Structures are given as C-alpha cells and as structure tokens.
Amino acid sequence: MNSIFRKKNLIYFLVLLAVITGFIIIDEYGIGIEEHFQRKSGFFWLNFLFNFTELEFLKNQILEKINEIKQFTPNLYPIEKVPYYGVIFDLPLALVETLLKIDEPIDYFLLRHKITFLFFLLSAYLFYKIILLRFKSTYLALFGFLIFIFSPRIFGNIFFDNKDILFLSFLTINFFYFQKYYENKSIRNLILVSLICSISTSTRIIGILLPISFIILLLLQYLSDNNNKESLKNFVIFLSFYFFFLLIHWPYLWTLSLSDWLNFFTPFFQAMNPTVYFDGQFYQSKFLPISYLPTWIILTTPIYILLFFIVGFYKNLKRLLFRFVSIDSKKNIFKFDLWRSNHEKFDLLVFINLFLIILLYISVKLALLSGWRHFYFVNFFIIYYSCFSVYLVMFFLKNKNILKKVFLFLLILFLSIQIYDIFKYHPFQSSYFNNFVSDEKKLKFEIDTQSLSRVHAIKEIMKIDKDLINLGTASWTPLEDARSMIPRKSWKKLNFVGTNFDNADYIYSNHYYEVNYQINNKYQIPKNFSLYKTFLIDGTRIYSIYKKN
C-alpha cells in the first residue's frame, strides 16, 4: 500500500482528480465563437475524403449533416474560401459524430469539448514529464503540471477551444518528443518528431517554426559534431518524413496547383481587419501597437508567474550568450560548445522557438484580435521558464533550510490564490485579469471575445420569461449559435432578431464590437430599453441584458 503513495505516483492522482473535476463542470461552459465553423470544416473535408469511396450510406449521412449546418448556421464563412485550416481534430470528430449518429447539438458539442479537455490533460501530463526529465525533481514537475493547467486564461479555454488550446497541446507534445529524441537519438524517435511536427504545422501555420527550429539544431549539430555523416542522415530522414506526414494527413495540400504552392503562405496572412478596442483606444486589427500582445499577457497572467518567467528567461539567455561568446572554433574543448548536455541542447531549442515567435510577431503585420488567444501556445514557454526559475531558486537555497521553507510556503500560497481565482471566475476564467488591473482599467479592453456568455445570458432570460422570447444582439457575436448548448425542444421559444431591435423583447451585449461604437451606432441600445442585468465577476463586466420598457 505504501508504494501506491510514493511521490512518483502523485501525478496520477492529480490527473485523475483533474479528469473527475473537469467532467463535473464541463457542461457549465458555453460555446466558443469559432466552434460551429470548425465543425463545419470537419464535415467539409470528411465529405471530400468520402467522395473517393463507394460508401454511399455514409456519404448520404454526411451530406445530411452538411445540409443541417447550412440550415441552422447559414451565416458561417464558406470553407471553400478558407480551406487551409487543419483537420486533425475536426475531421475525426465529424466521422465519430456520423458513425454514432449523434444528432442532439448539446451532445456533439459536449463530445468535442470532452475530447479537447482530455487531449489538453494529456499534454499537461507530458509537460510534467518534460520538467521531470529536464530538472530531475518530481515536486518541481508537479508544480509545473499544476500551473500549466491552472493558468486562468488557459483553464478558461480547455473545455471548448479546439483551435488555440489544441495547438498549445500539440506544441507541448512536440517538445516532449524533441526531448525524447535528444535523450535517445533513434530513428524511431526521429520519425515520431517529424510526425508531430507535421501535425503542429497543419493545426496552426505558425507551427512550422517547430520543424525550422529543430532543423537549426540539426545544422548546429552538423557544424560541431565529428560525425557529420550521421547528422546529415538525420537531417534527410527528418525532412523526408515531415513532408510525407504533412501530405498524407492534410487534404488541403492535395488541392493545390503549382501557383498555389509558389504562394503557399499568402492565404494564411489574409484576414479580416475589424476594429479592435485596446487600452481605451480603437485600432484597425492590422495596425495594432506592438505592445498589444505583451500588454495582454502581462495583464492576464498571475503576477508571480510573470516574475518567475522573466528571471528564468534572463538566466537562460545569459548562459546562452556566455556559451556563444566562448565558442572555440577549433572545437578542441567540448565545454565551449553551445551546449554541454542534452538538457542544455533542449533549453536551446526552447529558446530558438520563442525567439522565432518574437521575431515573427515584430516583423510581420499580423491581424490580431481577441486578446492573446491566438498566442495561447506561448504559455508553454511562460511556464517552462517559470519552472526553470524555481529550479534555480531551490538550488540556491538547498543549504538554507529556513529560507527554503519560506519559499515553498510562498509557492503554495500563490498557487492556492491562483486556484481560488479559477473558482471565483468560473465558468468565465477566459475573462481573468490579475491584480495589476483595476475595475476601471478592465473597461478599456474587450472581455468576452469568445462569446462564451451567450448561453449563460439566454438561460437567464429563459428563467424570467416563459413565453416566446425575441432576442436582439448588440455586439459582434452570432447569438443564435448559442442555442446549440440548449436542448432542441426549447428552441421554439427563442426567436433571434439580430440588430433588428424594433422586434426585440430583450437585447444581449457582451460589449464586443467590430466597429468603433463611439461613432458607429450599429449596436446602440434604443431608448425604449432599460438595463435589466449586468453580469460581473471580480469587477469584470462579462455581459449585459436590456429589457424593453
């Protein structure tokens, strides 16, 4: 019995606790603004694949699903115009939905939510393994596992975001297999690395930085290694399998003409250019200040994690610069290479990836919106360097028992506060701000950019009005899509009128706009409506309901 409770088994208890907790609360979350589009993409490509088969009974079921999507969500953007999104999640889930004949919207979206959540937990467990292998400390790895999961903005998305959280998960899995390869440079591990790199690339095009960084390390290995033949062989094997896996699992690539290949990256940088409300000012999405992402990360990450990240990143950069200026071009002394061990080589790989991400951000005019949601994958680097920092502090305090206990107490205290914030913001953790931000300051930013509050608001209105309800929308969100998380039998009570406020009984707004509402009256609340309710969490305004007088 005592062997069960050894510290190495604590991770399994934490994973089990996370699974149980997640499945208890998962149906309390709403539906993300992109989920209907992602589901539509899955069925589009599933239909594309089945057109190569003779399975008519399944092809007919898939077409029925596609027609239903067109009927109930007619305003979704055509997949044909943006066909480059990856299918590694959406296509298999569309197939499962078809084979199991899941017809109730709540059921098939909850299935997607559960798979997203479980897949993220797998990546969190592999993050634990990464920290354990890198720093040889079970307790540090457990700490990393907990702050990886309980980063508030990340936690708020792990139950529904099968795009940004999915990419964070694949990126984490990618680094786990990078690490495995550096520990054991077998052909099998190299092929696994190429497979996960290809999936990361198709999931989000920025994932191409992962194979690029790995190739950079292979080239550095080639320059510093006496066995150049082996390095060259690994380079060829990696690239060959990477492109093979990319082609075999990403059907979009099958449709490209020669001119499409020559302009491969162009479509990925074509985006809408809505107005974005940031720090009290309105900007066009493509012309946001360079401070946009750093500001969002600073304001929505727990303060102690930010401090640990800064220290860890600084120490890692300092060591790397020392290695660089001390390189012996004759390679007579091993210790003057860029790395002294596989652990340091892995640190270098992490650094190169983060450096490339920063370089991309500052050099390419990206059309950004929704805070740092599209860059949630950066949380891997934030937590990794935080763990690096904690490791350095613990190493420094290893012979100072009193200070060590004080430090551990503070870690537990900060983590407890972080978990309490998760509880306090539930189920809107994706709207979390840290203590740097006053209630007045929060009003200067877009909050519910995922439009999670739609379901919550509709249920609130249904409690007070049992008859047919005419619902208007004073924000940039398709309110009618929220009915997918409401039993189909209740749909007949809901009539969505959009911005046709003359026909509305209630108007919903999560105060998220694609226009400058100060000069554009598109979403102006009519004078014959009064504020019925504003839903606040910790001073953060999530949504408002207006009722006709």
Side-chain angles (χ1 to χ4, degrees):
M1 178 65 74
N2 290 335
S3 62
I4 297 177
F5 295 100
R6 290 177 180 172
K7 65 179 181 179
K8 68 177 183 180
N9 292 327
L10 287 175
I11 183 61
Y12 302 112
F13 289 103
L14 288 178
V15 169
L16 179 61
L17 181 62
V19 171
I20 293 172
T21 303
F23 273 75
I24 290 173
I25 66 175
I26 197 167
D27 61 352
E28 296 173 19
Y29 286 81
I31 189 165
I33 198 168
E34 294 184 332
E35 287 195 70
H36 285 86
F37 175 84
Q38 296 300 126
R39 178 172 172 262
K40 179 181 179 179
S41 177
F43 277 103
F44 174 88
W45 289 110
L46 185 65
N47 182 56
F48 174 83
L49 290 184
F50 270 82
N51 281 333
F52 295 101
T53 74
E54 300 298 327
L55 301 172
E56 296 298 327
F57 70 102
L58 278 177
K59 289 164 71 173
N60 290 334
Q61 290 182 45
I62 294 166
L63 287 174
E64 287 178 11
K65 289 283 187 179
I66 291 173
N67 289 331
E68 183 185 53
I69 290 170
K70 290 179 180 178
Q71 179 184 354
F72 288 107
T73 50
N75 297 320
L76 288 179
Y77 207 69
I79 305 299
E80 295 86 347
K81 292 187 177 181
V82 283
Y84 41 80
Y85 289 106
V87 300
I88 198 67
F89 180 89
D90 298 310
L91 192 151
L93 264 292
L95 180 60
V96 169
E97 184 183 327
T98 303
L99 292 175
L100 298 183
K101 297 183 178 180
I102 304 174
D103 296 320
E104 181 67 30
I106 291 180
D107 295 334
Y108 53 68
F109 277 110
L110 276 178
L111 172 65
R112 296 170 69 88
H113 292 184
K114 289 172 182 176
I115 299 300
T116 302
F117 168 61
L118 291 174
F119 196 74
F120 173 79
L121 272 189
L122 170 63
S123 73
Y125 171 73
L126 294 182
F127 184 83
Y128 161 86
K129 299 287 283 186
I130 289 170
I131 300 301
L132 180 63
L133 184 59
R134 171 61 184 87
F135 300 107
K136 308 299 182 185
S137 170
T138 301
Y139 291 120
L140 178 59
L142 290 170
F143 174 74
F145 173 80
L146 290 172
I147 61 174
F148 188 82
I149 290 179
F150 290 120
S151 299
R153 286 268 170 163
I154 303 303
F155 187 90
N157 279 44
I158 63 177
F159 298 102
F160 65 90
D161 188 346
N162 49 61
K163 188 176 179 183
D164 306 302
I165 293 299
L166 185 73
F167 181 64
L168 168 62
S169 301
F170 272 121
L171 180 138
T172 305
I173 295 169
N174 230 134
F175 277 106
F176 172 75
Y177 281 102
F178 282 148
Q179 193 179 51
K180 283 195 69 174
Y181 173 74
Y182 289 138
E183 294 296 318
N184 178 12
K185 294 183 178 65
S186 66
I187 299 299
R188 176 180 178 275
N189 284 338
L190 186 60
I191 292 173
L192 284 172
V193 166
S194 65
L195 171 63
I196 305 301
C197 277
S198 70
I199 294 174
S200 297
T201 304
S202 69
T203 303
R204 289 281 295 276
I205 193 60
I206 201 171
I208 201 171
L209 297 182
L210 291 161
I212 288 174
S213 63
F214 185 67
I215 288 170
I216 290 172
L217 261 291
L218 287 175
L219 293 174
L220 290 174
Q221 182 76 42
Y222 177 84
L223 294 173
S224 64
D225 204 340
N226 293 324
N227 191 357
N228 289 338
K229 185 177 179 180
E230 182 72 17
S231 298
L232 184 60
K233 183 185 77 171
N234 290 340
F235 177 80
V236 172
I237 290 173
F238 171 77
L239 274 184
S240 299
F241 276 97
Y242 169 72
F243 286 114
F244 170 74
F245 288 131
L246 202 61
L247 282 167
I248 205 170
H249 90 273
W250 196 2
Y252 164 68
L253 301 182
W254 311 350
T255 68
L256 299 183
S257 63
L258 178 60
S259 62
D260 293 329
W261 280 108
L262 294 175
N263 300 284
F264 181 76
F265 292 102
T266 302
F268 296 96
F269 293 97
Q270 294 175 349
M272 296 183 295
N273 190 27
T275 298
V276 174
Y277 186 57
F278 171 67
D279 201 12
Q281 300 292 326
F282 291 92
Y283 301 88
Q284 292 302 117
S285 177
K286 292 181 180 178
F287 303 102
L288 284 161
I290 200 168
S291 62
Y292 182 75
L293 275 183
T295 299
W296 268 111
I297 293 172
I298 290 170
L299 298 183
T300 60
T301 301
I303 297 170
Y304 80 103
I305 290 180
L306 285 173
L307 294 175
F308 281 143
F309 164 72
I310 292 169
V311 172
F313 179 76
Y314 167 75
K315 290 291 186 181
N316 190 261
L317 177 61
K318 181 180 177 181
R319 186 187 66 193
L320 177 60
L321 292 175
F322 175 78
R323 296 274 190 272
F324 183 77
V325 299
S326 304
I327 288 176
D328 182 358
S329 60
K330 297 180 180 179
K331 305 185 192 69
N332 293 326
I333 305 175
F334 173 73
K335 70 177 182 177
F336 289 138
D337 280 337
L338 279 174
W339 56 83
R340 293 184 184 177
S341 65
N342 287 329
H343 294 324
E344 289 194 8
K345 186 190 290 187
F346 180 74
D347 288 343
L348 178 58
L349 182 71
V350 173
F351 174 83
I352 289 174
N353 269 276
L354 183 56
F355 174 78
L356 290 176
I357 291 165
I358 295 171
L359 187 64
L360 177 70
Y361 174 67
I362 63 178
S363 61
V364 178
K365 281 192 176 297
L366 302 173
L368 297 175
L369 68 163
S370 301
W372 63 295
R373 176 168 62 87
H374 299 109
F375 276 74
Y376 274 172
F377 62 90
V378 172
N379 201 59
F380 171 88
F381 303 96
I382 294 173
I383 305 303
Y384 182 81
Y385 283 116
S386 296
C387 291
F388 191 93
S389 183
V390 172
Y391 171 79
L392 293 177
V393 174
M394 293 300 292
F395 183 81
F396 176 75
L397 297 176
K398 67 178 181 178
N399 296 321
K400 301 177 177 64
N401 289 332
I402 294 178
L403 290 176
K404 186 176 178 180
K405 290 178 180 178
V406 170
F407 179 70
L408 290 174
F409 171 77
L410 290 175
L411 277 186
I412 295 171
L413 176 63
F414 292 147
L415 180 59
S416 300
I417 294 172
Q418 188 173 336
I419 294 174
Y420 173 71
D421 285 335
I422 296 287
F423 172 79
K424 181 171 59 177
Y425 270 86
H426 181 75
F428 298 107
Q429 293 89 354
S430 55
S431 300
Y432 165 85
F433 284 96
N434 63 32
N435 292 331
F436 277 148
V437 192
S438 66
D439 292 349
E440 293 76 17
K441 182 78 169 176
K442 292 172 185 176
L443 294 173
K444 296 182 178 182
F445 295 89
E446 297 168 337
I447 306 295
D448 183 32
T449 59
Q450 283 278 57
S451 297
L452 277 187
S453 65
R454 295 175 292 177
V455 178
H456 193 277
I458 291 174
K459 288 181 177 179
E460 284 294 308
I461 294 171
M462 292 175 71
K463 289 178 184 177
I464 58 174
D465 200 325
K466 306 298 182 182
D467 299 322
L468 177 67
I469 305 169
N470 298 302
L471 294 170
T473 313
S475 61
W476 191 38
T477 180
L479 183 61
E480 63 275 10
D481 289 356
R483 62 183 168 180
S484 295
M485 297 302 289
I486 294 170
R488 194 188 290 264
K489 62 183 180 181
S490 298
W491 288 10
K492 60 185 179 182
K493 294 175 54 179
L494 303 171
N495 181 38
F496 299 94
V497 300
T499 55
N500 186 7
F501 299 145
D502 289 340
N503 297 327
D505 302 315
Y506 297 88
I507 297 175
Y508 156 87
S509 178
N510 61 350
H511 309 283
Y512 180 44
Y513 315 105
E514 86 286 14
V515 296
N516 183 341
Y517 68 87
Q518 293 178 350
I519 60 176
N520 187 317
N521 62 3
K522 178 179 179 180
Y523 299 120
Q524 184 176 353
I525 304 298
K527 293 181 179 180
N528 61 329
F529 280 78
S530 299
L531 179 65
Y532 175 79
K533 177 179 182 178
T534 294
F535 187 77
L536 299 163
I537 297 180
D538 193 35
T540 302
R541 183 181 61 181
I542 309 298
Y543 69 84
S544 299
I545 297 173
Y546 300 86
K547 185 177 181 180
K548 182 175 285 185
N549 296 332

